[in-house]
Amino acid sequence: SGSAQLGRARQTLEPLVERAPGDHYARFLLGRTLERSNRPGEALPHLRLAAAMSADPAYADAVRRVEQRGAA
């Protein structure tokens, strides 16, 4: 199921972000996974960090989307 896949993704990404905190793409993926798991408050810090580390417009878009959902 979708939620099981998101859970597996989170289990993979959290240790990766712990080992490589400067990996903006891993942070973005973890943030998106948390967002899709309806955990915007947990997603937002990861998305904000990814956006601060990289000028990728998808990162800034994700921050705006989650902030607009009221997680700010």
Side-chain angles (χ1 to χ4, degrees):
S1 77
S3 64
Q5 289 177 340
L6 290 171
R8 285 194 300 275
R10 183 177 176 191
Q11 288 176 340
T12 300
L13 290 164
E14 284 178 337
L16 181 60
V17 166
E18 285 178 27
R19 285 194 307 273
D23 184 337
H24 60 86
Y25 189 64
R27 279 205 182 269
F28 174 70
L29 291 178
L30 178 55
R32 285 287 292 129
T33 298
L34 291 164
E35 178 190 1
R36 293 180 63 208
S37 299
N38 202 28
R39 300 172 86 117
E42 293 175 51
L44 196 53
H46 293 290
L47 295 172
R48 284 179 172 155
L49 278 167
M53 289 188 263
S54 171
D56 188 321
Y59 296 4
D61 289 345
V63 170
R64 278 192 295 276
R65 184 176 54 248
V66 174
E67 285 177 343
Q68 288 172 355
R69 288 182 59 189

Coordinates of all heavy atoms in Angstrom, one line a residue:
S1 N 0.8 -1.2 0.0 CA 0.0 0.0 0.0 C 0.9 1.2 0.0 O 2.1 1.2 0.3 CB -0.9 0.0 1.2 OG -0.2 0.4 2.4
G2 N 0.3 2.4 -0.3 CA 1.0 3.6 -0.3 C 1.6 4.0 1.0 O 2.7 4.4 1.1
S3 N 0.8 3.8 2.1 CA 1.4 4.2 3.4 C 2.5 3.3 3.8 O 3.5 3.7 4.5 CB 0.3 4.2 4.5 OG -0.2 2.9 4.7
A4 N 2.5 2.0 3.4 CA 3.6 1.1 3.7 C 4.9 1.5 3.0 O 6.0 1.5 3.5 CB 3.2 -0.3 3.4
Q5 N 4.7 2.0 1.7 CA 5.8 2.4 0.9 C 6.4 3.7 1.5 O 7.6 3.9 1.6 CB 5.4 2.7 -0.5 CG 5.2 1.4 -1.3 CD 4.7 1.7 -2.7 OE1 4.2 2.8 -3.0 NE2 4.8 0.7 -3.5
L6 N 5.5 4.6 2.0 CA 6.0 5.8 2.6 C 6.8 5.5 3.9 O 7.8 6.1 4.2 CB 4.9 6.8 2.9 CG 4.2 7.4 1.7 CD1 3.0 8.2 2.0 CD2 5.2 8.3 1.0
G7 N 6.3 4.5 4.7 CA 6.9 4.1 5.9 C 8.3 3.6 5.6 O 9.3 3.9 6.3
R8 N 8.4 2.7 4.6 CA 9.7 2.2 4.2 C 10.7 3.3 3.7 O 11.9 3.3 4.1 CB 9.6 1.1 3.1 CG 9.1 -0.2 3.7 CD 9.2 -1.3 2.7 NE 8.5 -1.1 1.4 CZ 7.3 -1.4 1.2 NH1 6.5 -1.9 2.2 NH2 6.7 -1.2 0.0
A9 N 10.1 4.2 3.0 CA 11.0 5.4 2.5 C 11.5 6.1 3.7 O 12.7 6.5 3.8 CB 10.2 6.3 1.6
R10 N 10.6 6.4 4.7 CA 11.1 7.1 5.9 C 12.1 6.4 6.6 O 13.1 7.0 7.1 CB 9.8 7.4 6.7 CG 10.2 8.2 7.9 CD 8.9 8.5 8.7 NE 9.3 9.2 10.0 CZ 8.4 9.5 10.9 NH1 7.2 9.0 10.9 NH2 8.8 10.1 12.0
Q11 N 12.0 5.1 6.8 CA 13.0 4.3 7.5 C 14.3 4.3 6.8 O 15.3 4.1 7.4 CB 12.5 2.8 7.6 CG 11.3 2.7 8.6 CD 10.8 1.2 8.7 OE1 11.0 0.4 7.7 NE2 10.1 0.9 9.7
T12 N 14.3 4.4 5.5 CA 15.5 4.5 4.7 C 16.2 5.9 4.8 O 17.4 6.0 4.9 CB 15.3 4.1 3.2 OG1 14.8 2.8 3.2 CG2 16.5 4.2 2.4
L13 N 15.3 6.9 4.7 CA 15.8 8.3 4.6 C 16.3 8.8 5.9 O 17.3 9.6 5.9 CB 14.8 9.2 4.0 CG 14.5 8.9 2.5 CD1 13.2 9.5 2.0 CD2 15.7 9.4 1.6
E14 N 15.6 8.5 7.0 CA 16.0 9.1 8.3 C 17.5 8.8 8.7 O 18.2 9.7 9.0 CB 15.0 8.7 9.4 CG 13.7 9.5 9.3 CD 12.7 9.1 10.3 OE1 12.8 8.0 10.9 OE2 11.8 9.9 10.6
P15 N 17.9 7.6 8.6 CA 19.3 7.3 8.9 C 20.3 7.9 7.9 O 21.4 8.4 8.2 CB 19.4 5.8 8.9 CG 18.1 5.2 8.8 CD 17.2 6.3 8.4
L16 N 19.9 8.0 6.6 CA 20.7 8.7 5.6 C 20.9 10.1 6.0 O 22.0 10.6 5.9 CB 20.0 8.5 4.3 CG 20.8 9.1 3.1 CD1 22.2 8.5 2.9 CD2 20.0 8.9 1.8
V17 N 19.9 10.8 6.4 CA 20.0 12.2 6.7 C 20.8 12.4 8.0 O 21.6 13.3 8.1 CB 18.6 12.9 6.9 CG1 18.6 14.2 7.6 CG2 17.9 13.0 5.5
E18 N 20.7 11.4 8.9 CA 21.5 11.5 10.1 C 23.0 11.4 9.8 O 23.9 12.0 10.4 CB 21.1 10.4 11.1 CG 19.8 10.7 11.8 CD 19.4 9.6 12.8 OE1 20.3 8.9 13.3 OE2 18.2 9.4 13.0
R19 N 23.3 10.5 8.8 CA 24.7 10.2 8.5 C 25.3 11.3 7.6 O 26.5 11.6 7.6 CB 24.9 8.9 7.7 CG 24.8 7.7 8.6 CD 25.3 6.4 7.9 NE 24.6 6.2 6.6 CZ 23.5 5.5 6.4 NH1 22.8 5.0 7.5 NH2 23.0 5.3 5.2
A20 N 24.4 12.0 6.8 CA 24.8 13.0 5.8 C 23.9 14.2 5.9 O 23.1 14.4 5.0 CB 24.9 12.4 4.4
P21 N 24.0 15.0 7.0 CA 23.0 16.0 7.2 C 23.1 17.1 6.2 O 22.1 17.9 6.0 CB 23.4 16.6 8.6 CG 24.7 16.1 8.9 CD 24.9 14.8 8.1
G22 N 24.2 17.2 5.4 CA 24.3 18.2 4.4 C 23.8 17.8 3.0 O 23.9 18.5 2.0
D23 N 23.2 16.6 2.9 CA 22.7 16.1 1.7 C 21.3 16.7 1.4 O 20.3 16.2 2.0 CB 22.7 14.5 1.7 CG 22.2 13.9 0.4 OD1 21.5 14.6 -0.4 OD2 22.5 12.7 0.2
H24 N 21.3 17.7 0.7 CA 20.0 18.4 0.5 C 19.0 17.6 -0.2 O 17.8 17.7 0.1 CB 20.2 19.8 -0.3 CG 20.8 19.6 -1.6 ND1 20.0 19.4 -2.7 CD2 22.1 19.7 -2.0 CE1 20.8 19.3 -3.8 NE2 22.1 19.5 -3.4
Y25 N 19.4 16.7 -1.1 CA 18.4 15.9 -1.8 C 17.8 14.9 -0.9 O 16.5 14.7 -0.9 CB 19.0 15.2 -3.0 CG 18.0 14.5 -3.9 CD1 17.0 15.2 -4.5 CD2 18.0 13.1 -4.0 CE1 16.0 14.6 -5.3 CE2 17.0 12.5 -4.8 CZ 16.1 13.2 -5.5 OH 15.1 12.6 -6.2
A26 N 18.6 14.2 0.0 CA 18.0 13.3 1.0 C 17.0 14.0 1.9 O 16.0 13.5 2.2 CB 19.1 12.6 1.8
R27 N 17.4 15.2 2.3 CA 16.5 16.0 3.2 C 15.2 16.3 2.5 O 14.1 16.3 3.1 CB 17.2 17.3 3.6 CG 18.1 17.2 4.7 CD 18.2 18.4 5.5 NE 19.2 18.2 6.6 CZ 18.9 17.8 7.8 NH1 17.6 17.6 8.1 NH2 19.8 17.6 8.7
F28 N 15.3 16.7 1.2 CA 14.1 17.0 0.4 C 13.2 15.8 0.3 O 12.0 15.8 0.5 CB 14.5 17.5 -1.0 CG 13.3 17.7 -1.9 CD1 12.4 18.7 -1.7 CD2 13.2 16.9 -3.0 CE1 11.4 18.9 -2.5 CE2 12.1 17.0 -3.8 CZ 11.2 18.1 -3.6
L29 N 13.8 14.6 0.0 CA 13.0 13.4 -0.1 C 12.4 13.0 1.2 O 11.2 12.6 1.3 CB 13.9 12.2 -0.6 CG 14.4 12.3 -2.0 CD1 15.3 11.1 -2.3 CD2 13.2 12.4 -3.0
L30 N 13.1 13.2 2.3 CA 12.5 12.9 3.6 C 11.4 13.9 3.9 O 10.3 13.5 4.4 CB 13.6 13.0 4.7 CG 13.1 12.7 6.2 CD1 12.3 11.4 6.3 CD2 14.2 12.8 7.2
G31 N 11.6 15.2 3.6 CA 10.5 16.1 3.8 C 9.3 15.8 3.0 O 8.2 15.9 3.5
R32 N 9.5 15.4 1.7 CA 8.4 15.1 0.9 C 7.7 13.8 1.4 O 6.4 13.7 1.3 CB 8.8 14.9 -0.6 CG 9.2 16.1 -1.3 CD 7.9 16.9 -1.7 NE 7.2 16.2 -2.7 CZ 5.9 15.9 -2.7 NH1 5.2 16.3 -1.6 NH2 5.3 15.2 -3.6
T33 N 8.4 12.9 1.8 CA 7.8 11.6 2.4 C 7.0 12.0 3.6 O 5.8 11.5 3.7 CB 9.0 10.6 2.8 OG1 9.7 10.3 1.6 CG2 8.4 9.4 3.4
L34 N 7.5 12.8 4.5 CA 6.7 13.2 5.7 C 5.5 14.0 5.3 O 4.4 13.8 5.8 CB 7.6 14.0 6.6 CG 8.7 13.2 7.3 CD1 9.7 14.1 7.9 CD2 8.1 12.3 8.3
E35 N 5.6 14.9 4.3 CA 4.5 15.7 3.8 C 3.4 14.7 3.2 O 2.2 14.9 3.6 CB 4.9 16.6 2.7 CG 3.8 17.4 2.1 CD 4.2 18.2 0.8 OE1 5.3 18.1 0.4 OE2 3.3 18.9 0.3
R36 N 3.8 13.8 2.4 CA 2.8 12.8 1.9 C 2.2 11.9 2.9 O 1.2 11.4 2.7 CB 3.5 12.0 0.7 CG 3.9 12.9 -0.5 CD 4.5 12.2 -1.6 NE 3.6 11.2 -2.1 CZ 4.0 10.0 -2.6 NH1 5.3 9.7 -2.8 NH2 3.1 9.2 -3.1
S37 N 2.9 11.8 4.0 CA 2.4 11.0 5.2 C 1.5 11.8 6.1 O 1.2 11.4 7.2 CB 3.6 10.4 6.0 OG 4.3 9.5 5.2
N38 N 1.2 13.0 5.6 CA 0.4 13.9 6.4 C 1.0 14.3 7.7 O 0.4 14.4 8.8 CB -1.1 13.4 6.6 CG -2.0 14.5 6.9 OD1 -1.9 15.6 6.5 ND2 -3.1 14.2 7.7
R39 N 2.3 14.6 7.7 CA 3.1 15.0 8.8 C 3.8 16.4 8.5 O 5.0 16.4 8.5 CB 4.1 14.0 9.2 CG 3.4 12.6 9.6 CD 4.4 11.6 9.8 NE 4.9 11.6 11.1 CZ 4.8 10.6 12.0 NH1 4.2 9.5 11.6 NH2 5.2 10.7 13.2
P40 N 3.0 17.4 8.1 CA 3.6 18.6 7.7 C 4.5 19.3 8.7 O 5.6 19.9 8.3 CB 2.4 19.5 7.3 CG 1.3 19.0 8.1 CD 1.6 17.5 8.2
G41 N 4.2 19.2 9.9 CA 5.1 19.8 11.0 C 6.4 19.2 11.0 O 7.4 19.9 11.3
E42 N 6.5 17.9 10.8 CA 7.8 17.2 10.7 C 8.5 17.4 9.4 O 9.7 17.4 9.3 CB 7.6 15.7 11.0 CG 7.1 15.4 12.3 CD 6.8 13.9 12.5 OE1 7.7 13.1 12.1 OE2 5.7 13.5 12.9
A43 N 7.7 17.6 8.3 CA 8.3 17.8 7.0 C 9.0 19.1 6.8 O 10.0 19.2 6.2 CB 7.2 17.6 5.9
L44 N 8.4 20.2 7.4 CA 8.8 21.5 7.1 C 10.2 21.8 7.4 O 10.9 22.4 6.6 CB 7.8 22.5 7.8 CG 7.9 24.0 7.3 CD1 7.7 24.1 5.8 CD2 6.9 24.8 8.0
P45 N 10.8 21.4 8.6 CA 12.2 21.7 8.9 C 13.1 21.1 7.8 O 14.1 21.7 7.4 CB 12.4 21.1 10.2 CG 11.1 21.0 10.9 CD 10.1 20.8 9.7
H46 N 12.8 19.9 7.4 CA 13.7 19.2 6.4 C 13.6 20.0 5.0 O 14.6 20.2 4.3 CB 13.3 17.8 6.2 CG 13.6 17.0 7.4 ND1 14.9 16.6 7.8 CD2 12.7 16.4 8.3 CE1 14.8 15.9 8.9 NE2 13.5 15.8 9.3
L47 N 12.4 20.4 4.7 CA 12.2 21.1 3.4 C 12.9 22.4 3.5 O 13.5 22.9 2.5 CB 10.7 21.2 3.1 CG 10.0 19.9 2.8 CD1 8.5 20.1 2.7 CD2 10.5 19.2 1.6
R48 N 12.7 23.1 4.6 CA 13.4 24.4 4.7 C 14.9 24.3 4.6 O 15.6 25.1 4.0 CB 13.0 25.1 6.0 CG 11.6 25.7 6.0 CD 11.3 26.3 7.3 NE 10.0 27.0 7.3 CZ 9.2 27.2 8.3 NH1 9.6 26.8 9.5 NH2 8.1 27.9 8.2
L49 N 15.5 23.3 5.2 CA 16.9 23.1 5.2 C 17.3 22.8 3.7 O 18.3 23.3 3.3 CB 17.4 22.0 6.1 CG 17.5 22.4 7.6 CD1 17.7 21.2 8.5 CD2 18.8 23.3 7.7
A50 N 16.6 21.9 3.1 CA 16.9 21.6 1.7 C 16.9 22.9 0.8 O 17.8 23.1 0.0 CB 16.0 20.6 1.1
A51 N 15.9 23.7 1.0 CA 15.7 24.9 0.2 C 16.9 25.9 0.6 O 17.3 26.6 -0.3 CB 14.4 25.6 0.5
A52 N 17.3 25.9 1.8 CA 18.5 26.8 2.2 C 19.8 26.3 1.6 O 20.7 27.1 1.3 CB 18.6 26.9 3.7
M53 N 19.9 25.0 1.4 CA 21.2 24.4 0.8 C 21.2 24.4 -0.7 O 22.3 24.3 -1.2 CB 21.3 23.0 1.4 CG 21.6 22.9 2.8 SD 22.1 21.2 3.3 CE 20.5 20.7 3.9
S54 N 20.1 24.5 -1.3 CA 20.1 24.4 -2.8 C 19.0 25.4 -3.4 O 18.0 25.6 -2.8 CB 19.7 23.0 -3.2 OG 19.5 22.9 -4.6
A55 N 19.4 25.9 -4.6 CA 18.4 26.8 -5.2 C 17.4 26.1 -6.1 O 16.7 26.7 -6.8 CB 19.2 27.8 -6.1
D56 N 17.3 24.8 -5.9 CA 16.3 24.0 -6.7 C 14.9 24.6 -6.5 O 14.5 24.6 -5.3 CB 16.4 22.5 -6.3 CG 15.5 21.6 -7.2 OD1 14.4 22.0 -7.6 OD2 16.0 20.5 -7.5
P57 N 14.2 25.0 -7.5 CA 12.9 25.6 -7.3 C 11.9 24.6 -6.7 O 10.9 25.1 -6.0 CB 12.5 26.1 -8.7 CG 13.4 25.5 -9.6 CD 14.7 25.1 -8.9
A58 N 12.1 23.4 -6.9 CA 11.1 22.4 -6.3 C 11.2 22.4 -4.8 O 10.2 22.2 -4.1 CB 11.5 21.0 -6.8
Y59 N 12.4 22.7 -4.3 CA 12.5 22.8 -2.8 C 11.7 23.9 -2.2 O 11.0 23.8 -1.3 CB 14.0 22.9 -2.4 CG 14.9 21.8 -2.8 CD1 14.4 20.7 -3.5 CD2 16.2 21.8 -2.4 CE1 15.3 19.6 -3.8 CE2 17.1 20.7 -2.7 CZ 16.6 19.7 -3.4 OH 17.5 18.6 -3.7
A60 N 11.9 25.1 -2.9 CA 11.1 26.3 -2.4 C 9.6 26.1 -2.6 O 8.8 26.5 -1.8 CB 11.6 27.5 -3.2
D61 N 9.2 25.5 -3.7 CA 7.8 25.2 -3.9 C 7.2 24.3 -2.8 O 6.1 24.5 -2.3 CB 7.6 24.5 -5.3 CG 7.8 25.4 -6.5 OD1 7.9 26.6 -6.3 OD2 8.0 24.9 -7.6
A62 N 8.0 23.3 -2.4 CA 7.6 22.4 -1.4 C 7.4 23.1 0.0 O 6.4 22.9 0.7 CB 8.5 21.2 -1.2
V63 N 8.3 24.0 0.3 CA 8.2 24.8 1.5 C 7.0 25.6 1.5 O 6.2 25.6 2.5 CB 9.5 25.7 1.7 CG1 9.3 26.7 2.8 CG2 10.7 24.9 2.0
R64 N 6.7 26.3 0.4 CA 5.5 27.2 0.3 C 4.2 26.3 0.4 O 3.3 26.7 1.1 CB 5.5 27.9 -1.0 CG 6.3 29.2 -1.0 CD 6.0 30.0 -2.3 NE 6.5 29.4 -3.5 CZ 7.7 29.4 -4.0 NH1 8.7 30.0 -3.3 NH2 8.0 28.8 -5.1
R65 N 4.2 25.2 -0.2 CA 3.0 24.3 -0.2 C 2.7 23.9 1.3 O 1.6 23.9 1.7 CB 3.3 23.1 -1.1 CG 2.1 22.2 -1.2 CD 2.3 21.1 -2.2 NE 3.6 20.3 -1.9 CZ 4.7 20.3 -2.7 NH1 4.7 21.0 -3.8 NH2 5.7 19.6 -2.3
V66 N 3.8 23.4 2.0 CA 3.6 22.9 3.3 C 3.2 24.1 4.3 O 2.3 24.0 5.1 CB 4.8 22.2 3.8 CG1 4.7 21.8 5.3 CG2 5.0 20.9 3.0
E67 N 3.9 25.3 4.1 CA 3.5 26.4 4.9 C 2.1 26.8 4.7 O 1.4 27.2 5.7 CB 4.5 27.6 4.6 CG 5.9 27.4 5.1 CD 6.8 28.5 4.8 OE1 6.5 29.3 3.8 OE2 7.8 28.7 5.4
Q68 N 1.6 26.8 3.5 CA 0.2 27.2 3.2 C -0.8 26.2 3.8 O -1.9 26.6 4.1 CB 0.0 27.3 1.7 CG 0.7 28.5 1.1 CD 0.7 28.5 -0.4 OE1 0.2 27.5 -1.1 NE2 1.2 29.6 -1.0
R69 N -0.3 25.0 4.1 CA -1.2 24.0 4.7 C -1.3 24.3 6.2 O -2.1 23.7 6.9 CB -0.7 22.6 4.5 CG -0.9 22.1 3.1 CD -0.4 20.7 3.0 NE -1.1 19.7 3.9 CZ -0.7 18.5 4.1 NH1 0.3 18.0 3.5 NH2 -1.4 17.7 4.9
G70 N -0.5 25.3 6.7 CA -0.7 25.7 8.1 C 0.3 25.1 9.0 O 0.1 25.1 10.2
A71 N 1.4 24.5 8.5 CA 2.4 23.9 9.3 C 3.4 24.9 9.9 O 4.3 24.5 10.7 CB 3.1 22.8 8.6
A72 N 3.4 26.1 9.4 CA 4.4 27.1 9.8 C 4.3 27.4 11.3 O 5.2 27.6 11.9 CB 4.2 28.4 9.0

